[in-house]
Amino acid sequence: MITQFTEQNFLQFTLQHEWGTAIDVQQTLANGTRMEIWDSGVVCFTPAQEASPFDLVLSSAVHGDETAPIEICDSLIEAIRCGALQLKTRVLFLIANPAAINIGERFVEENMNRLFSGAHSKGEVQNKERERAKAIEGYVRRFYNEGGRGRQRMHYDMHTAIRDSKHEKFAVYPYQNGKPYSKRQLQLLAALDVPVVLLHDGPTTTFSYFSVNEFAADAFTLELGKVRPFGENDMQKFAKTKQQLQHLLTEGYSSYEQSGNPNELAITIYKVLRSINRTQADFRLNFSADLANFTAFRKGDVLAEDGDTQIRAEVDGEAVIFPNANVAIGQRALLTVTPIEISAVRMNEQ
């Protein structure tokens, strides 16, 4: 059991223990911040003095080749550890799939972002990614439960997309189980330099929906550009995102004031029309491999062929995102979406 942490860099330690390690580190940093390491890739910081009753989860590397969010989190973790950031917010960092990072791939055996909300334990398949997803659920549960009730709970699960996008940065706002969306959270996304939001239409097994469904957290999947190897990310493109994350960490949630007409938010909203699953071994997308996310089609255009079934656009302007013909049979091969007016979104002021 490791009880003292003397490593120079938390990410490098994590990569050396890619499937987890026995560790129980609880130490107070020089400025009074409490650091607890629960596993490789799992570190909780509690400030000496809080700005607001606010619990924030920042996760990266659910897909191991999505490096920009990993670099952002690495930088924030080390800034807190060395005292460069005077923390005022309780925060849990999760580097979810270190083994996939080490091989530079999306996953080792199975897409981890299809394994939450208990999906890791369904069926007879067993692998280390399922074990890790189950463990991560437990760490999020521990973090929110130890914070207690009556606190603002948020979770940003940070990704980058496989392909280019007509919108470089966008967020997936998970299904809210019938509750309205939050005007204040949309304002926060705009401040994070994420000006496009996709409203999901139903329950999923993604990490962000897990936090919404089990903890009523304000949780989002953030897509921050395109997949690139370490060292090839233009971090200037993420400067505003990182700056606003630092603001949340050092000033708290209550520092963001609600303002303005919700219909005038500087944000573009899409809604899901269809989730199209691959059901046959012979599944083909009917467009080029480098087609950008949010590319729109005309009604009747063939989007994909699933065996002998042609899947056509149902309306003019139906756009595709996250197309991937190589998913396992039964999994989602693409989503189709359409823009909507913000006035059509049911939202509250919180």
Side-chain angles (χ1 to χ4, degrees):
M1 174 73 72
I2 302 171
T3 57
Q4 295 293 320
F5 189 77
T6 59
E7 302 291 331
Q8 293 295 311
N9 180 272
F10 182 73
L11 175 60
Q12 292 307 312
F13 167 81
T14 294
L15 298 181
Q16 292 166 9
H17 302 275
E18 60 182 23
W19 290 118
T21 188
I23 188 169
D24 183 18
V25 170
Q26 301 184 39
Q27 64 189 69
T28 302
L29 306 180
N31 61 9
T33 297
R34 184 74 169 169
M35 180 177 76
E36 300 175 36
I37 301 176
W38 299 341
D39 199 343
S40 65
V42 184
V43 57
C44 173
F45 294 101
T46 302
Q49 183 176 357
E50 287 189 324
S52 54
F54 174 39
D55 295 332
L56 176 64
V57 175
L58 295 177
S59 56
S60 63
V62 166
H63 297 136
D65 59 349
E66 299 175 1
T67 59
I70 302 168
E71 293 183 26
I72 292 170
C73 287
D74 175 43
S75 175
L76 293 173
I77 290 168
E78 297 309 318
I80 296 169
R81 287 184 63 208
C82 76
L85 285 183
Q86 181 63 53
L87 197 69
K88 292 290 185 67
T89 293
R90 186 167 174 266
V91 59
L92 177 70
F93 287 93
L94 292 164
I95 302 171
N97 198 340
I101 300 174
N102 281 337
I103 61 173
E105 298 288 347
R106 187 172 173 83
F107 51 83
V108 178
E109 294 186 59
E110 192 171 3
N111 183 353
M112 187 179 284
N113 213 26
R114 300 292 180 271
L115 296 177
F116 292 97
S117 295
H120 48 72
S121 299
K122 294 180 179 177
E124 298 181 358
V125 176
Q126 295 183 356
N127 57 51
K128 288 186 177 296
E129 261 141 340
R130 288 184 170 230
E131 294 173 7
R132 179 74 170 175
K134 182 177 181 179
I136 287 171
E137 285 187 351
Y139 296 132
V140 174
R141 191 172 293 114
R142 172 180 173 181
F143 176 70
Y144 284 139
N145 287 344
E146 287 184 357
R149 296 182 178 180
R151 297 171 63 85
Q152 177 68 33
R153 293 171 171 176
M154 284 175 52
H155 177 191
Y156 290 133
D157 183 34
M158 294 182 283
H159 292 253
T160 56
I162 296 173
R163 59 184 63 227
D164 288 322
S165 177
K166 291 186 177 295
H167 303 295
E168 183 181 47
K169 300 185 184 75
F170 63 96
V172 179
Y173 203 146
Y175 182 61
Q176 297 296 292
N177 299 323
K179 297 188 300 182
Y181 297 95
S182 165
K183 170 190 167 185
R184 196 174 192 188
Q185 291 300 322
L186 292 176
Q187 291 174 321
L188 268 171
L189 290 172
L192 283 162
D193 197 26
V194 181
V196 176
V197 178
L198 169 62
L199 307 179
H200 217 293
D201 63 339
T204 66
T205 52
T206 63
F207 194 9
S208 58
Y209 179 70
F210 164 75
S211 292
V212 169
N213 190 48
E214 184 156 338
F215 306 104
D218 290 296
F220 302 87
T221 302
L222 301 186
E223 297 286 349
L224 304 176
K226 187 179 178 182
V227 168
R228 301 188 191 283
F230 282 113
E232 295 186 15
N233 294 300
D234 180 359
M235 299 309 290
Q236 280 300 114
K237 291 184 176 181
F238 309 105
K240 187 175 179 180
T241 302
K242 183 179 175 183
Q243 178 184 10
Q244 294 304 319
L245 290 176
Q246 289 175 338
H247 185 88
L248 280 173
L249 291 172
T250 59
E251 301 297 330
Y253 178 74
S254 60
S255 65
Y256 285 91
E257 297 298 330
Q258 305 168 51
S259 62
N261 185 329
N263 295 336
E264 297 174 355
L265 287 173
I267 207 154
T268 301
I269 305 289
Y270 286 80
K271 70 174 182 178
V272 171
L273 288 181
R274 290 186 288 166
S275 181
I276 297 169
N277 291 351
R278 177 186 183 184
T279 69
Q280 305 295 322
D282 182 17
F283 182 94
R284 301 178 302 281
L285 298 172
N286 198 44
F287 43 79
S288 65
D290 60 355
L291 183 87
N293 281 321
F294 294 99
T295 296
F297 289 82
R298 295 172 300 180
K299 182 178 179 179
D301 286 346
V302 177
L303 304 179
E305 296 180 14
D306 190 24
D308 294 330
T309 302
Q310 288 188 332
I311 299 166
R312 296 178 178 271
E314 294 181 340
V315 298
D316 284 333
E318 187 169 3
V320 299
I321 63 168
F322 305 136
N324 185 354
N326 298 318
V327 297
I329 291 176
Q331 289 193 355
R332 186 193 73 203
L334 70 155
L335 281 176
T336 73
V337 301
T338 188
I340 61 172
E341 295 294 329
I342 197 165
S343 58
V345 179
R346 188 167 67 97
M347 66 177 74
N348 60 32
E349 294 287 327
Q350 301 304 312

